[in-house]
Amino acid sequence: LNALFNCNHFNEHEVFIFNDAPNPDKENDENKVYVVREYLNSLVNTGCHTNIHLDFFASHMGSKNAVISGITKIINEYGTVIDIEDDVVVSQDFLDFMDDGLEFFKNDEKVWSIAGLNQLPGNIDTAASTYFLKRTCSTGFAVWKDRWNKVDFEIGDYLEFKNNRTKQDKLSEIGYDMPFAIMQYKDFYVDAWDIQFCYAASCNDAYTVYPKKSKCIHIGEFGTHFNGTNIQQQEYNQKSDYYNFSDCQYDEKINELNRSMFMEKSKFRYLDDIIREDKMKYYYLLSDKWMTLRDKNISIEKKLINQNIHKIAIYGCGAFSRHLIAELNKTNIEVLYMVDKREMESFENIKV
């Protein structure tokens, strides 16, 4: 926050800080949230920052729902959003870069976002001060309302994507890791929102604008939520640095370098191959996720009702589906029917 306060033209921006409620599944989370909220309240109560607005969630939302609801609320009112994660330190001209980028590319529908973090290591082989990539980066970025509202955060066409290698090839153009990331989100319920944004941008053949020299840095490896994976990023200078959007260009060599950053090409696999070859591992991961939720007293019924879902259909009539039905029989969730490629008799009075 101190870095943000020192940004050029900070006082010309309305700043909305969203703070999630304690996670009931994390030990001592309530005390940690209390400390954070006390600090945030102190910023407002001093009267030094009249452009800061606080929004404290009453119940735990999780990363995906908190970010989506926060951005959607503000972007529908203002038309654009500059989003900064809590573990990001920004440069002095970060807001200038975002503001200028939003204005310069506002009518270019092929540009979906402006990124502040350059994750490519070392010096990039381009004379331009900015460049396009097919992949977006949520670590300090800006977006317009019309692009944001095109994103299907539930990825409604996942089943088609999962069985369509052409679509997986296309998504892999922004990163060889991306098809599997989509599977992790949908099949293993990873709490994410940026994966869906990347997917939607890829489906629309859109680009993200990046600075040659980063306008922010990620320091999350020191946070309580650090998962052990360091964010790749270049060296960072907090002072203002030259940039010019007029010379922004796309370079296939740079995109290919970024494409292989999170997964090497040799490790890329189609999703149907993963399911077929690692079927037991796939089942194990799904079972582990299911049992972990149960251990935490988080039921499938609760997950569905929280999304206002009371009637469902189940795809597949295998063992997992039967266990799921057994669990849902004890709840208020109604299973309307099951779907399977094979012709089968009804199961427990549920049509197939």
Side-chain angles (χ1 to χ4, degrees), residues 16 29 34 84 102 116 151 170 188 194 196 234 237 246 251 262 280 289 297 310 318 342:
F16 299 86
D29 206 42
Y34 173 79
I84 307 171
L102 287 170
V151 181
K170 177 176 174 57
F188 303 117
D194 54 330
Q196 303 91 299
Q234 66 175 204
N237 185 347
S246 297
D251 188 319
F262 300 100
M280 292 302 105
K289 184 69 176 181
N297 293 318
H310 302 275
R342 302 163 294 173

Side-chain angles (χ1 to χ4, degrees), residues 15-29:
V15 179
F16 299 86
I17 301 178
F18 294 89
N19 179 256
D20 201 0
N23 185 340
D25 299 322
K26 288 189 176 181
E27 185 178 356
N28 201 34
D29 206 42

Side-chain angles (χ1 to χ4, degrees), residues 25 188-189 283-300 319-320 323-324 327:
D25 299 322
F188 303 117
Y189 310 104
Y283 283 169
Y284 166 76
L285 292 173
L286 185 59
S287 300
D288 181 61
K289 184 69 176 181
W290 191 347
M291 293 304 103
T292 299
L293 291 173
R294 180 176 289 183
D295 291 343
K296 296 178 179 180
N297 293 318
I298 302 175
S299 66
I300 294 176
F320 273 98
H323 289 305
L324 177 59
E327 179 167 324

Side-chain angles (χ1 to χ4, degrees), residues 177-193:
D177 62 310
M178 281 303 302
F180 183 62
I182 296 292
M183 173 184 271
Q184 286 182 305
Y185 165 66
K186 290 297 291 185
D187 289 351
F188 303 117
Y189 310 104
V190 172
D191 187 18
W193 64 270

Side-chain angles (χ1 to χ4, degrees), residues 118-133:
N118 183 344
Q119 293 181 295
L120 295 174
N123 294 321
I124 301 172
D125 186 18
T126 177
S129 61
T130 56
Y131 62 94
F132 294 115
L133 280 181

Side-chain angles (χ1 to χ4, degrees), residues 30-260:
E30 187 171 349
N31 289 333
K32 294 175 182 177
V33 171
Y34 173 79
V35 171
V36 171
R37 291 186 174 183
E38 284 292 291
Y39 168 69
L40 294 175
N41 280 320
S42 71
L43 295 177
V44 175
N45 294 336
T46 59
C48 296
H49 302 291
T50 58
N51 58 332
I52 292 181
H53 313 275
L54 304 179
D55 194 329
F56 296 159
F57 293 128
S59 58
H60 183 68
M61 301 278 284
S63 174
K64 172 194 165 187
N65 292 330
V67 173
I68 293 174
S69 64
I71 291 181
T72 301
K73 177 181 179 180
I74 303 305
I75 209 167
N76 284 336
E77 180 176 354
Y78 290 89
T80 59
V81 157
I82 300 171
D83 178 76
I84 307 171
E85 296 183 1
D86 60 349
D87 49 9
V88 171
V89 177
V90 298
S91 65
Q92 186 177 355
D93 61 347
F94 173 84
L95 292 178
D96 293 339
F97 184 80
M98 294 294 164
D99 286 337
D100 293 344
L102 287 170
E103 178 62 26
F104 191 90
F105 294 103
K106 66 181 180 181
N107 295 321
D108 189 342
E109 295 184 356
K110 285 300 180 183
V111 177
W112 267 39
S113 64
I114 313 295
L117 179 71
N118 183 344
Q119 293 181 295
L120 295 174
N123 294 321
I124 301 172
D125 186 18
T126 177
S129 61
T130 56
Y131 62 94
F132 294 115
L133 280 181
K134 294 181 178 180
R135 183 173 184 149
T136 191
C137 177
S138 63
T139 310
F141 83 113
V143 63
W144 301 265
K145 175 182 176 180
D146 58 344
R147 281 75 148 182
W148 178 260
N149 287 336
K150 288 181 181 178
V151 181
D152 173 12
F153 287 100
E154 300 306 321
I155 311 184
D157 63 342
Y158 173 62
L159 286 179
E160 179 186 357
F161 171 81
K162 191 175 183 178
N163 295 288
N164 189 318
R165 290 191 168 193
T166 300
K167 289 193 171 187
Q168 292 171 42
D169 280 331
K170 177 176 174 57
L171 184 61
S172 76
E173 292 177 3
I174 72 172
Y176 290 111
D177 62 310
M178 281 303 302
F180 183 62
I182 296 292
M183 173 184 271
Q184 286 182 305
Y185 165 66
K186 290 297 291 185
D187 289 351
F188 303 117
Y189 310 104
V190 172
D191 187 18
W193 64 270
D194 54 330
I195 296 171
Q196 303 91 299
F197 190 94
C198 286
Y199 178 70
S202 173
C203 291
N204 285 273
D205 298 312
Y207 296 89
T208 289
V209 177
Y210 285 80
K212 183 177 181 179
K213 294 185 178 180
S214 281
K215 300 298 179 184
C216 61
I217 190 171
H218 184 273
I219 59 171
E221 58 265 30
F222 304 111
T224 56
H225 63 292
F226 178 50
N227 64 5
T229 304
N230 289 316
I231 298 292
Q232 299 188 61
Q233 53 196 332
Q234 66 175 204
E235 292 183 3
Y236 164 74
N237 185 347
Q238 199 167 350
K239 296 180 180 180
S240 299
D241 207 339
Y242 170 80
Y243 62 86
N244 182 2
F245 293 113
S246 297
D247 64 7
C248 194
Q249 56 185 284
Y250 175 78
D251 188 319
E252 186 59 43
K253 291 181 180 179
I254 296 177
N255 189 75
E256 189 60 32
L257 180 62
N258 186 75
R259 185 181 184 185
S260 305

